[in-house]
Amino acid sequence: MAFCKKNRVSMQALFQMGLRTHLSKVNENAGDVTMLLAVARRCTRVDLNSGGTRALAHMMRTDFSPEMTFIEALRATDKCNLSLYKHADYQFLREFFKQGWYDKRIPWFTAISTALTFFPFEMLDADVGLKYEYFSMGTGYMHVTNYTMIAPNFISGGYNCFYVHHTRFINKEDILLLHENLVKVIKAGIGKPEITLGEILSDVL
């Protein structure tokens, strides 16, 4: 959190960098990576007092070169997020089908493998002892093979990562590797913001 405040970037972008760098690694160091962001948010001033939220989904495509530094990629990710969130009337499903990301003629086919939801709850003191439970609606409605949800752990002061996935395509070892790489990427980027993505892919992962 201190790193994000110092560099004026969101924690969501930090976790996105961990996920997209892992996806890059397992896809032969591909620079062009797309994931789905599922965001529960209040869109208008009227919504602010409604007590509810509306789920919005955005396609997030990043095409980063190996020479790009971690902090450069992180800031580019954050900037793209902010530009996407301005459009509350974005018709996700219309774009999803129009761009060919999902073909309903082929069972479970999708060009998007991963979705992410990050809950930016305000971190409270561990003494508060606040607990919550995570119940997933599954991955079918978003047509992705892995849905990652990340939220603060108010007991430990860390973050909980939940991975809902299709066991037909992804096994336990795949999820463990994903989580391990996500943590490695974040630690490497925080420890040395000027490290290049190529160095992370070759030396860290």
Side-chain angles (χ1 to χ4, degrees), residues 15-159:
F15 281 104
Q16 279 178 251
M17 281 299 299
L19 281 176
R20 65 93 43 210
T21 307
H22 166 77
L23 292 174
S24 173
K25 179 66 176 182
V26 298
N27 286 281
E28 301 179 349
N29 296 343
D32 192 343
V33 177
T34 300
M35 70 174 67
L36 177 67
L37 302 180
V39 185
R41 63 183 293 237
R42 293 170 180 168
C43 304
T44 66
R45 290 185 181 277
V46 174
D47 291 340
L48 290 176
N49 298 317
S50 70
T53 61
R54 179 163 68 118
L56 296 177
H58 300 282
M59 306 309 299
M60 180 67 177
R61 180 183 181 186
T62 53
D63 192 357
F64 298 151
S65 70
E67 293 75 28
M68 198 172 193
T69 66
F70 180 85
I71 191 65
E72 289 173 342
L74 179 60
R75 286 173 176 154
T77 299
D78 206 33
K79 182 178 179 180
C80 186
N81 282 341
L82 293 174
S83 66
L84 286 173
Y85 293 161
K86 291 178 182 178
H87 303 285
D89 59 346
Y90 175 78
Q91 298 295 317
F92 159 68
L93 287 178
R94 183 185 302 170
E95 289 298 314
F96 198 71
F97 286 100
K98 185 174 74 175
Q99 299 295 334
W101 286 313
Y102 171 66
D103 189 341
K104 57 186 176 183
R105 296 170 300 178
I106 308 174
W108 300 112
F109 170 79
T110 175
I112 309 300
S113 65
T114 300
L116 168 68
T117 295
F118 176 80
F119 287 93
F121 298 138
E122 181 179 355
M123 186 61 77
L124 304 174
D125 292 334
D127 294 339
V128 174
L130 180 64
K131 296 181 180 180
Y132 61 86
E133 291 187 61
Y134 171 63
F135 297 95
S136 169
M137 293 184 290
T139 59
Y141 79 105
M142 288 191 295
H143 304 293
V144 293
T145 49
N146 171 55
Y147 173 44
T148 300
M149 196 280 279
I150 299 173
N153 183 317
F154 300 109
I155 307 301
S156 69
Y159 279 82

Side-chain angles (χ1 to χ4, degrees), residues 140-204:
Y141 79 105
M142 288 191 295
H143 304 293
V144 293
T145 49
N146 171 55
Y147 173 44
T148 300
M149 196 280 279
I150 299 173
N153 183 317
F154 300 109
I155 307 301
S156 69
Y159 279 82
N160 290 333
C161 298
F162 303 90
Y163 302 100
V164 182
H165 59 283
H166 288 294
T167 55
R168 178 180 176 183
F169 303 106
I170 302 176
N171 57 37
K172 181 179 178 180
E173 288 68 31
D174 294 326
I175 295 298
L176 291 174
L177 178 63
L178 184 157
H179 183 77
E180 180 182 330
N181 283 349
L182 182 149
V183 173
K184 284 182 178 179
V185 171
I186 291 176
K187 285 185 175 181
I190 291 176
K192 186 180 178 183
E194 298 303 323
I195 189 173
T196 66
L197 300 184
E199 289 172 332
I200 293 177
L201 292 170
S202 63
D203 301 336
V204 177

